[in-house]
Amino acid sequence: MGGQNFVVNGGVKMPIGFRFHPTDEELVVHYLKRKALCLPLPASVIPEFDVFQTDPWSLPGDLKENRYFFSTRSCNGGHNKRKRVSGSGYWKPIGKEKPILASGSNQVVGMRKALIFCQRKRSDETKTRWLLHQYRLAEAQMSTRELHGDWVVFRVFQRNRQAKRHGVVSNKSETIDFTVEDCSVFGPPQPASPCSSEITEVCSIGRDQEESSGFVTSSSSNCSMRKQ
């Protein structure tokens, strides 16, 4: 695949049966680092695009696949901003930057920051399932003289739907947990079935009636015996 160009109309068009799924280390060492050093890449599969220009669903490429983009920090406003406006919302950082270690030596080769896309609705924010991973080279990797631009690489993808707490169908297992009622699926919670209590009550009433009738019969017989 070396030397081939898979970038078509700003997105990636892979041959049938091929998927581009690099590890964090591969993405940083073999793509981002070589891009920053102006060296040939293993394959032209990552286009240059400013991901903060539009909504994540409007970015080039297949929405069902992970999409990767090169960009420079000058284009996206650096990496110190907490919120980055983008389209109809903004990207909000979540958690802390995580180091990317080289296999074998455990040397830090890069850093990864996670962001979630939030839509603006009046004064409230609505978090979506769109996530963004920003990768940058570790500062100790090389001097700025060697670099040809302050490059970063982004990975945009949708988080899988997770099973809710209150008995919702899971995408993976497609089973329903009936231990907790879910109003959204089964309607409002219904009270416990009164069948058992009604049966018990009827039985107890029947026993009371039998005992009462037996008592009356016994009393009547005793009275008649006395009269005799």
Side-chain angles (χ1 to χ4, degrees):
M1 292 174 59
Q4 299 186 43
N5 187 0
F6 299 100
V7 177
V8 179
N9 297 326
V12 177
K13 184 66 175 179
M14 300 291 292
I16 297 176
F18 286 86
R19 297 292 184 273
F20 182 63
H21 290 301
T23 64
D24 287 353
E25 179 188 358
E26 293 170 343
L27 187 62
V28 170
V29 174
H30 298 285
Y31 286 89
L32 179 57
K33 186 176 180 179
R34 297 183 69 87
K35 179 72 171 179
L37 294 175
C38 202
L39 296 175
L41 302 179
S44 297
V45 291
I46 305 179
E48 296 180 15
F49 195 86
D50 184 3
V51 298
F52 300 109
Q53 286 185 356
T54 184
D55 296 311
W57 52 83
S58 299
L59 293 172
D62 189 352
L63 298 181
K64 299 179 181 179
E65 298 289 340
N66 293 337
R67 289 173 291 171
Y68 298 86
F69 302 97
F70 281 126
S71 182
T72 58
R73 294 190 192 179
S74 59
C75 292
N76 58 64
H79 62 283
N80 295 323
K81 291 185 177 181
R82 289 197 53 81
K83 295 180 180 179
R84 308 185 195 180
V85 178
S86 178
S88 62
Y90 56 88
W91 290 99
K92 181 179 180 180
I94 51 177
K96 298 181 179 180
E97 272 193 318
K98 295 183 178 181
I100 300 171
L101 305 179
S103 55
S105 63
N106 286 334
Q107 180 183 6
V108 179
V109 294
M111 301 293 293
R112 187 188 74 188
K113 177 186 290 186
L115 302 93
I116 186 170
F117 187 75
C118 303
Q119 286 185 296
R120 291 171 294 190
K121 294 185 177 180
R122 296 182 181 178
S123 59
D124 300 329
E125 70 174 23
T126 302
K127 293 183 178 180
T128 66
R129 294 191 299 118
W130 286 100
L131 294 178
L132 175 71
H133 284 172
Q134 174 185 290
Y135 299 86
R136 65 178 179 87
L137 294 173
E139 296 177 356
Q141 276 291 296
M142 58 194 69
S143 64
T144 55
R145 295 180 180 179
E146 301 178 273
L147 302 178
H148 295 263
D150 196 3
W151 289 95
V152 291
V153 64
F154 296 100
R155 179 166 76 102
V156 183
F157 61 100
Q158 289 192 74
R159 179 173 49 188
N160 294 330
R161 293 184 180 273
Q162 298 178 354
K164 297 181 181 178
R165 297 179 181 178
H166 303 291
V168 171
V169 179
S170 171
N171 283 350
K172 294 183 180 180
S173 59
E174 295 187 356
T175 57
I176 301 178
D177 181 10
F178 293 98
T179 56
V180 181
E181 292 183 350
D182 185 3
C183 299
S184 62
V185 179
F186 303 103
Q190 300 295 330
S193 175
C195 299
S196 58
S197 60
E198 290 178 357
I199 293 173
T200 305
E201 185 177 356
V202 170
C203 293
S204 61
I205 294 174
R207 285 197 299 268
D208 292 342
Q209 291 177 349
E210 290 177 0
E211 291 175 358
S212 299
S213 61
F215 176 76
V216 172
T217 305
S218 176
S219 300
S220 301
S221 61
N222 290 339
C223 290
S224 61
M225 291 176 65
R226 289 178 182 177
K227 289 181 180 181
Q228 292 176 356

